PDB file of all heavy atoms in Angstrom:
ATOM      1  N   PRO A 138       0.812  -1.231   0.000  1.00 94.00           N
ATOM      2  CA  PRO A 138       0.000   0.000   0.000  1.00 94.00           C
ATOM      3  C   PRO A 138       0.842   1.275   0.000  1.00 94.00           C
ATOM      4  O   PRO A 138       0.281   2.370   0.005  1.00 94.00           O
ATOM      5  CB  PRO A 138      -0.800  -0.110   1.308  1.00 94.00           C
ATOM      6  CG  PRO A 138      -0.704  -1.515   1.744  1.00 94.00           C
ATOM      7  CD  PRO A 138       0.609  -1.994   1.254  1.00 94.00           C
ATOM      8  N   TRP A 139       2.156   1.145  -0.018  1.00 96.00           N
ATOM      9  CA  TRP A 139       3.027   2.309   0.139  1.00 96.00           C
ATOM     10  C   TRP A 139       3.439   2.886  -1.214  1.00 96.00           C
ATOM     11  O   TRP A 139       3.789   2.155  -2.129  1.00 96.00           O
ATOM     12  CB  TRP A 139       4.279   1.930   0.920  1.00 96.00           C
ATOM     13  CG  TRP A 139       3.986   1.422   2.293  1.00 96.00           C
ATOM     14  CD1 TRP A 139       3.847   0.120   2.678  1.00 96.00           C
ATOM     15  CD2 TRP A 139       3.755   2.209   3.459  1.00 96.00           C
ATOM     16  NE1 TRP A 139       3.556   0.034   4.014  1.00 96.00           N
ATOM     17  CE2 TRP A 139       3.497   1.325   4.526  1.00 96.00           C
ATOM     18  CE3 TRP A 139       3.740   3.575   3.714  1.00 96.00           C
ATOM     19  CZ2 TRP A 139       3.230   1.743   5.812  1.00 96.00           C
ATOM     20  CZ3 TRP A 139       3.488   4.006   5.000  1.00 96.00           C
ATOM     21  CH2 TRP A 139       3.229   3.100   6.043  1.00 96.00           C
ATOM     22  N   THR A 140       3.394   4.242  -1.290  1.00 97.00           N
ATOM     23  CA  THR A 140       3.807   4.944  -2.501  1.00 97.00           C
ATOM     24  C   THR A 140       4.702   6.115  -2.118  1.00 97.00           C
ATOM     25  O   THR A 140       4.387   6.866  -1.192  1.00 97.00           O
ATOM     26  CB  THR A 140       2.590   5.476  -3.285  1.00 97.00           C
ATOM     27  OG1 THR A 140       1.758   4.379  -3.656  1.00 97.00           O
ATOM     28  CG2 THR A 140       3.030   6.226  -4.539  1.00 97.00           C
ATOM     29  N   LEU A 141       5.802   6.249  -2.858  1.00 98.00           N
ATOM     30  CA  LEU A 141       6.677   7.417  -2.717  1.00 98.00           C
ATOM     31  C   LEU A 141       6.543   8.277  -3.958  1.00 98.00           C
ATOM     32  O   LEU A 141       6.750   7.810  -5.076  1.00 98.00           O
ATOM     33  CB  LEU A 141       8.133   6.979  -2.530  1.00 98.00           C
ATOM     34  CG  LEU A 141       8.457   6.127  -1.302  1.00 98.00           C
ATOM     35  CD1 LEU A 141       9.950   5.804  -1.268  1.00 98.00           C
ATOM     36  CD2 LEU A 141       8.042   6.827  -0.019  1.00 98.00           C
ATOM     37  N   SER A 142       6.174   9.547  -3.749  1.00 98.00           N
ATOM     38  CA  SER A 142       6.010  10.488  -4.864  1.00 98.00           C
ATOM     39  C   SER A 142       7.041  11.596  -4.714  1.00 98.00           C
ATOM     40  O   SER A 142       7.132  12.233  -3.656  1.00 98.00           O
ATOM     41  CB  SER A 142       4.603  11.085  -4.864  1.00 98.00           C
ATOM     42  OG  SER A 142       3.629  10.065  -4.933  1.00 98.00           O
ATOM     43  N   PHE A 143       7.806  11.834  -5.762  1.00 97.00           N
ATOM     44  CA  PHE A 143       8.879  12.827  -5.725  1.00 97.00           C
ATOM     45  C   PHE A 143       8.450  14.089  -6.447  1.00 97.00           C
ATOM     46  O   PHE A 143       7.620  14.041  -7.374  1.00 97.00           O
ATOM     47  CB  PHE A 143      10.140  12.231  -6.337  1.00 97.00           C
ATOM     48  CG  PHE A 143      10.614  11.008  -5.613  1.00 97.00           C
ATOM     49  CD1 PHE A 143      10.186   9.744  -6.006  1.00 97.00           C
ATOM     50  CD2 PHE A 143      11.452  11.113  -4.525  1.00 97.00           C
ATOM     51  CE1 PHE A 143      10.608   8.608  -5.333  1.00 97.00           C
ATOM     52  CE2 PHE A 143      11.890   9.986  -3.842  1.00 97.00           C
ATOM     53  CZ  PHE A 143      11.457   8.729  -4.245  1.00 97.00           C
ATOM     54  N   ASP A 144       9.021  15.243  -6.030  1.00 94.00           N
ATOM     55  CA  ASP A 144       8.546  16.508  -6.591  1.00 94.00           C
ATOM     56  C   ASP A 144       8.981  16.740  -8.026  1.00 94.00           C
ATOM     57  O   ASP A 144       8.617  17.752  -8.626  1.00 94.00           O
ATOM     58  CB  ASP A 144       8.944  17.692  -5.694  1.00 94.00           C
ATOM     59  CG  ASP A 144      10.436  17.884  -5.584  1.00 94.00           C
ATOM     60  OD1 ASP A 144      11.189  17.189  -6.294  1.00 94.00           O
ATOM     61  OD2 ASP A 144      10.865  18.744  -4.776  1.00 94.00           O
ATOM     62  N   ASN A 145       9.743  15.816  -8.602  1.00 94.00           N
ATOM     63  CA  ASN A 145      10.046  15.901 -10.036  1.00 94.00           C
ATOM     64  C   ASN A 145       9.010  15.161 -10.874  1.00 94.00           C
ATOM     65  O   ASN A 145       9.155  15.038 -12.094  1.00 94.00           O
ATOM     66  CB  ASN A 145      11.441  15.339 -10.312  1.00 94.00           C
ATOM     67  CG  ASN A 145      11.541  13.844 -10.045  1.00 94.00           C
ATOM     68  OD1 ASN A 145      10.630  13.250  -9.465  1.00 94.00           O
ATOM     69  ND2 ASN A 145      12.641  13.230 -10.452  1.00 94.00           N
ATOM     70  N   GLY A 146       7.972  14.653 -10.205  1.00 95.00           N
ATOM     71  CA  GLY A 146       6.897  13.950 -10.908  1.00 95.00           C
ATOM     72  C   GLY A 146       7.004  12.442 -10.883  1.00 95.00           C
ATOM     73  O   GLY A 146       6.055  11.740 -11.256  1.00 95.00           O
ATOM     74  N   GLN A 147       8.127  11.912 -10.431  1.00 97.00           N
ATOM     75  CA  GLN A 147       8.307  10.467 -10.401  1.00 97.00           C
ATOM     76  C   GLN A 147       7.517   9.860  -9.247  1.00 97.00           C
ATOM     77  O   GLN A 147       7.510  10.378  -8.129  1.00 97.00           O
ATOM     78  CB  GLN A 147       9.791  10.125 -10.262  1.00 97.00           C
ATOM     79  CG  GLN A 147      10.102   8.639 -10.297  1.00 97.00           C
ATOM     80  CD  GLN A 147      11.605   8.373 -10.272  1.00 97.00           C
ATOM     81  OE1 GLN A 147      12.404   9.283 -10.519  1.00 97.00           O
ATOM     82  NE2 GLN A 147      11.997   7.144  -9.995  1.00 97.00           N
ATOM     83  N   VAL A 148       6.833   8.751  -9.519  1.00 97.00           N
ATOM     84  CA  VAL A 148       6.036   8.041  -8.522  1.00 97.00           C
ATOM     85  C   VAL A 148       6.505   6.590  -8.477  1.00 97.00           C
ATOM     86  O   VAL A 148       6.640   5.934  -9.516  1.00 97.00           O
ATOM     87  CB  VAL A 148       4.529   8.115  -8.855  1.00 97.00           C
ATOM     88  CG1 VAL A 148       3.727   7.308  -7.833  1.00 97.00           C
ATOM     89  CG2 VAL A 148       4.057   9.559  -8.886  1.00 97.00           C
ATOM     90  N   VAL A 149       6.754   6.098  -7.269  1.00 97.00           N
ATOM     91  CA  VAL A 149       7.182   4.715  -7.089  1.00 97.00           C
ATOM     92  C   VAL A 149       6.205   4.020  -6.155  1.00 97.00           C
ATOM     93  O   VAL A 149       6.065   4.403  -4.987  1.00 97.00           O
ATOM     94  CB  VAL A 149       8.605   4.631  -6.514  1.00 97.00           C
ATOM     95  CG1 VAL A 149       8.994   3.170  -6.274  1.00 97.00           C
ATOM     96  CG2 VAL A 149       9.607   5.309  -7.436  1.00 97.00           C
ATOM     97  N   ASN A 150       5.501   3.011  -6.686  1.00 96.00           N
ATOM     98  CA  ASN A 150       4.658   2.161  -5.861  1.00 96.00           C
ATOM     99  C   ASN A 150       5.541   1.057  -5.285  1.00 96.00           C
ATOM    100  O   ASN A 150       6.080   0.229  -6.026  1.00 96.00           O
ATOM    101  CB  ASN A 150       3.515   1.562  -6.689  1.00 96.00           C
ATOM    102  CG  ASN A 150       2.570   2.629  -7.211  1.00 96.00           C
ATOM    103  OD1 ASN A 150       2.126   3.496  -6.467  1.00 96.00           O
ATOM    104  ND2 ASN A 150       2.271   2.580  -8.504  1.00 96.00           N
ATOM    105  N   ILE A 151       5.691   1.050  -3.982  1.00 95.00           N
ATOM    106  CA  ILE A 151       6.623   0.135  -3.344  1.00 95.00           C
ATOM    107  C   ILE A 151       6.135  -1.307  -3.474  1.00 95.00           C
ATOM    108  O   ILE A 151       4.966  -1.613  -3.188  1.00 95.00           O
ATOM    109  CB  ILE A 151       6.813   0.492  -1.863  1.00 95.00           C
ATOM    110  CG1 ILE A 151       7.308   1.942  -1.728  1.00 95.00           C
ATOM    111  CG2 ILE A 151       7.801  -0.453  -1.196  1.00 95.00           C
ATOM    112  CD1 ILE A 151       8.623   2.204  -2.396  1.00 95.00           C
ATOM    113  N   VAL A 152       7.019  -2.177  -3.910  1.00 94.00           N
ATOM    114  CA  VAL A 152       6.718  -3.602  -4.011  1.00 94.00           C
ATOM    115  C   VAL A 152       7.617  -4.360  -3.053  1.00 94.00           C
ATOM    116  O   VAL A 152       8.587  -3.821  -2.522  1.00 94.00           O
ATOM    117  CB  VAL A 152       6.929  -4.105  -5.459  1.00 94.00           C
ATOM    118  CG1 VAL A 152       6.023  -3.372  -6.424  1.00 94.00           C
ATOM    119  CG2 VAL A 152       8.395  -3.943  -5.872  1.00 94.00           C
ATOM    120  N   GLU A 153       7.264  -5.615  -2.809  1.00 88.00           N
ATOM    121  CA  GLU A 153       8.138  -6.449  -1.996  1.00 88.00           C
ATOM    122  C   GLU A 153       9.505  -6.571  -2.659  1.00 88.00           C
ATOM    123  O   GLU A 153       9.608  -6.672  -3.886  1.00 88.00           O
ATOM    124  CB  GLU A 153       7.514  -7.829  -1.788  1.00 88.00           C
ATOM    125  CG  GLU A 153       6.417  -7.846  -0.750  1.00 88.00           C
ATOM    126  CD  GLU A 153       6.019  -9.262  -0.387  1.00 88.00           C
ATOM    127  OE1 GLU A 153       6.444 -10.199  -1.084  1.00 88.00           O
ATOM    128  OE2 GLU A 153       5.275  -9.431   0.602  1.00 88.00           O
ATOM    129  N   ASP A 154      10.534  -6.549  -1.812  1.00 89.00           N
ATOM    130  CA  ASP A 154      11.908  -6.615  -2.316  1.00 89.00           C
ATOM    131  C   ASP A 154      12.188  -5.476  -3.304  1.00 89.00           C
ATOM    132  O   ASP A 154      12.782  -5.671  -4.358  1.00 89.00           O
ATOM    133  CB  ASP A 154      12.181  -7.971  -2.974  1.00 89.00           C
ATOM    134  CG  ASP A 154      11.992  -9.131  -2.016  1.00 89.00           C
ATOM    135  OD1 ASP A 154      12.337  -8.976  -0.827  1.00 89.00           O
ATOM    136  OD2 ASP A 154      11.481 -10.174  -2.450  1.00 89.00           O
ATOM    137  N   GLN A 155      11.729  -4.270  -2.920  1.00 90.00           N
ATOM    138  CA  GLN A 155      11.892  -3.092  -3.758  1.00 90.00           C
ATOM    139  C   GLN A 155      13.380  -2.832  -4.026  1.00 90.00           C
ATOM    140  O   GLN A 155      14.211  -2.859  -3.113  1.00 90.00           O
ATOM    141  CB  GLN A 155      11.287  -1.861  -3.068  1.00 90.00           C
ATOM    142  CG  GLN A 155      11.492  -0.547  -3.792  1.00 90.00           C
ATOM    143  CD  GLN A 155      10.706  -0.459  -5.075  1.00 90.00           C
ATOM    144  OE1 GLN A 155       9.517  -0.735  -5.107  1.00 90.00           O
ATOM    145  NE2 GLN A 155      11.364  -0.080  -6.155  1.00 90.00           N
ATOM    146  N   SER A 156      13.702  -2.563  -5.278  1.00 90.00           N
ATOM    147  CA  SER A 156      15.082  -2.277  -5.643  1.00 90.00           C
ATOM    148  C   SER A 156      15.452  -0.853  -5.251  1.00 90.00           C
ATOM    149  O   SER A 156      14.597  -0.036  -4.905  1.00 90.00           O
ATOM    150  CB  SER A 156      15.290  -2.483  -7.146  1.00 90.00           C
ATOM    151  OG  SER A 156      14.442  -1.615  -7.885  1.00 90.00           O
ATOM    152  N   TYR A 157      16.726  -0.564  -5.316  1.00 94.00           N
ATOM    153  CA  TYR A 157      17.283   0.746  -4.952  1.00 94.00           C
ATOM    154  C   TYR A 157      16.653   1.852  -5.799  1.00 94.00           C
ATOM    155  O   TYR A 157      16.491   1.715  -7.001  1.00 94.00           O
ATOM    156  CB  TYR A 157      18.791   0.703  -5.147  1.00 94.00           C
ATOM    157  CG  TYR A 157      19.517   1.997  -4.890  1.00 94.00           C
ATOM    158  CD1 TYR A 157      19.727   2.453  -3.589  1.00 94.00           C
ATOM    159  CD2 TYR A 157      20.014   2.761  -5.938  1.00 94.00           C
ATOM    160  CE1 TYR A 157      20.417   3.617  -3.343  1.00 94.00           C
ATOM    161  CE2 TYR A 157      20.709   3.940  -5.705  1.00 94.00           C
ATOM    162  CZ  TYR A 157      20.903   4.364  -4.403  1.00 94.00           C
ATOM    163  OH  TYR A 157      21.589   5.533  -4.174  1.00 94.00           O
ATOM    164  N   ILE A 158      16.295   2.957  -5.138  1.00 96.00           N
ATOM    165  CA  ILE A 158      15.666   4.085  -5.826  1.00 96.00           C
ATOM    166  C   ILE A 158      16.638   5.256  -5.794  1.00 96.00           C
ATOM    167  O   ILE A 158      17.090   5.673  -4.725  1.00 96.00           O
ATOM    168  CB  ILE A 158      14.335   4.489  -5.153  1.00 96.00           C
ATOM    169  CG1 ILE A 158      13.358   3.320  -5.144  1.00 96.00           C
ATOM    170  CG2 ILE A 158      13.725   5.698  -5.860  1.00 96.00           C
ATOM    171  CD1 ILE A 158      12.118   3.578  -4.293  1.00 96.00           C
ATOM    172  N   SER A 159      16.961   5.807  -6.936  1.00 95.00           N
ATOM    173  CA  SER A 159      17.805   6.998  -7.029  1.00 95.00           C
ATOM    174  C   SER A 159      17.071   8.032  -7.860  1.00 95.00           C
ATOM    175  O   SER A 159      16.640   7.750  -8.979  1.00 95.00           O
ATOM    176  CB  SER A 159      19.148   6.665  -7.670  1.00 95.00           C
ATOM    177  OG  SER A 159      19.955   7.826  -7.767  1.00 95.00           O
ATOM    178  N   VAL A 160      16.918   9.238  -7.310  1.00 96.00           N
ATOM    179  CA  VAL A 160      16.103  10.239  -7.978  1.00 96.00           C
ATOM    180  C   VAL A 160      16.668  11.627  -7.696  1.00 96.00           C
ATOM    181  O   VAL A 160      17.189  11.900  -6.620  1.00 96.00           O
ATOM    182  CB  VAL A 160      14.632  10.136  -7.497  1.00 96.00           C
ATOM    183  CG1 VAL A 160      14.533  10.374  -6.005  1.00 96.00           C
ATOM    184  CG2 VAL A 160      13.742  11.113  -8.253  1.00 96.00           C
ATOM    185  N   VAL A 161      16.590  12.502  -8.694  1.00 95.00           N
ATOM    186  CA  VAL A 161      16.945  13.915  -8.532  1.00 95.00           C
ATOM    187  C   VAL A 161      15.676  14.650  -8.125  1.00 95.00           C
ATOM    188  O   VAL A 161      14.765  14.822  -8.934  1.00 95.00           O
ATOM    189  CB  VAL A 161      17.534  14.501  -9.820  1.00 95.00           C
ATOM    190  CG1 VAL A 161      17.812  15.993  -9.638  1.00 95.00           C
ATOM    191  CG2 VAL A 161      18.803  13.771 -10.207  1.00 95.00           C
ATOM    192  N   SER A 162      15.613  15.050  -6.888  1.00 96.00           N
ATOM    193  CA  SER A 162      14.386  15.638  -6.358  1.00 96.00           C
ATOM    194  C   SER A 162      14.722  16.404  -5.088  1.00 96.00           C
ATOM    195  O   SER A 162      15.684  16.082  -4.385  1.00 96.00           O
ATOM    196  CB  SER A 162      13.360  14.537  -6.060  1.00 96.00           C
ATOM    197  OG  SER A 162      12.227  15.067  -5.409  1.00 96.00           O
ATOM    198  N   ASN A 163      13.919  17.431  -4.783  1.00 96.00           N
ATOM    199  CA  ASN A 163      14.135  18.216  -3.574  1.00 96.00           C
ATOM    200  C   ASN A 163      13.360  17.690  -2.378  1.00 96.00           C
ATOM    201  O   ASN A 163      13.504  18.206  -1.272  1.00 96.00           O
ATOM    202  CB  ASN A 163      13.759  19.673  -3.810  1.00 96.00           C
ATOM    203  CG  ASN A 163      14.748  20.379  -4.703  1.00 96.00           C
ATOM    204  OD1 ASN A 163      15.904  19.977  -4.809  1.00 96.00           O
ATOM    205  ND2 ASN A 163      14.299  21.432  -5.364  1.00 96.00           N
ATOM    206  N   GLY A 164      12.518  16.685  -2.592  1.00 95.00           N
ATOM    207  CA  GLY A 164      11.736  16.123  -1.509  1.00 95.00           C
ATOM    208  C   GLY A 164      10.820  15.035  -2.024  1.00 95.00           C
ATOM    209  O   GLY A 164      10.809  14.714  -3.221  1.00 95.00           O
TER     210      GLY A 164
END
């Protein structure tokens, strides 16, 4: 049920065994 939304517009719906996330974003 977890989602990470970055202020550059990128959205990541967290899955089991989520891989490394690297993003250019201020928050």
